[in-house]
Structure formats: C-alpha cells, structure tokens
Amino acid sequence: MTENTISTEDKFAPDVSVRRNDAKHRYELHVGDKLAVQSFYRDLPGHIDFTHTETAEGFEGQGLGRVLAHFALDDVVAAGKRIIPHCPFIAGYLRKHEVYGQCVDWPDS
C-alpha cells in the first residue's frame, strides 16, 4: 500500500500586522519589522481617495496586498466614508469584491 503524504505546512505568518498611518496618509502592512505593502490615500470630506499601492521587493505574489486592501476598505466603511479608487490595485480588488459596491464612488475616466 502506498501512502500519499502531502505537507500541510501552515503558510500563515503570525507576525503580519496592519494599520492606518494618518501622518503618512497610508495604510500599512508589516511583516515583522518590515513594511511590506502600503496603500496611499487622500483624506477628503466624506471620502478616502486611494491613489496607489506599493508592495516591497520580496513580498510580491503572497496575497499581502489583498489583506491590506480588505483591512483598508473595511476601515473606510466603518468610518462612514466613501471610497474613491484611483489606485488600479484597489479598483481591481473592488471589482472582485462587490460587497463594497454601495460605498464606492468610481472616478471619471
């Protein structure tokens, strides 16, 4: 009898943290003490306008941007503000996650 053994190593990193940094107008995702992903915004009356998102070298392709986007968008909605997605990454996330649809003001092209 052959036994198939598949590694079920947990890929979750418990040293991931997210926060809003109002002084620098960005949401941040840290892995340990390293800034891995940042999403910049403009705080406007009644709106948060996401301008761009950056992932640091070595952290690409791990889904960390999605984690930060989820946190940031939930934070905006919880604050009672609306989302303006000028950032292509945030816009793409919003298109895939329609739950935020009623809170989005799409920018004019």
Side-chain angles (χ1 to χ4, degrees):
M1 183 164 132
T2 304
E3 185 175 305
N4 291 330
T5 307
I6 299 174
S7 174
T8 57
E9 181 180 334
D10 190 356
K11 299 292 184 185
F12 177 74
D15 58 346
V16 171
S17 62
V18 290
R19 71 182 187 123
R20 185 181 68 228
N21 184 333
D22 291 329
K24 294 188 178 181
H25 302 283
R26 68 185 185 198
Y27 285 89
E28 302 172 344
L29 182 142
H30 293 262
V31 176
D33 62 348
K34 296 183 180 181
L35 178 59
V37 186
Q38 51 191 330
S39 189
F40 295 89
Y41 65 86
R42 293 184 315 139
D43 193 353
L44 304 172
H47 291 82
I48 294 294
D49 182 0
F50 287 92
T51 57
H52 70 283
T53 299
E54 298 174 1
T55 301
E57 187 175 330
F59 293 101
E60 304 94 341
Q62 299 178 34
L64 297 172
R66 291 189 305 268
V67 172
L68 184 59
H70 181 84
F71 172 80
L73 295 171
D74 280 357
D75 185 64
V76 172
V77 171
K81 292 193 171 194
R82 298 187 58 78
I83 302 159
I84 302 173
H86 279 106
C87 168
F89 179 79
I90 296 293
Y93 185 91
L94 287 167
R95 287 186 185 97
K96 292 178 184 173
H97 299 86
E98 296 178 3
V99 67
Y100 299 102
Q102 64 187 5
C103 301
V104 178
D105 290 329
W106 292 97
D108 295 331
S109 298

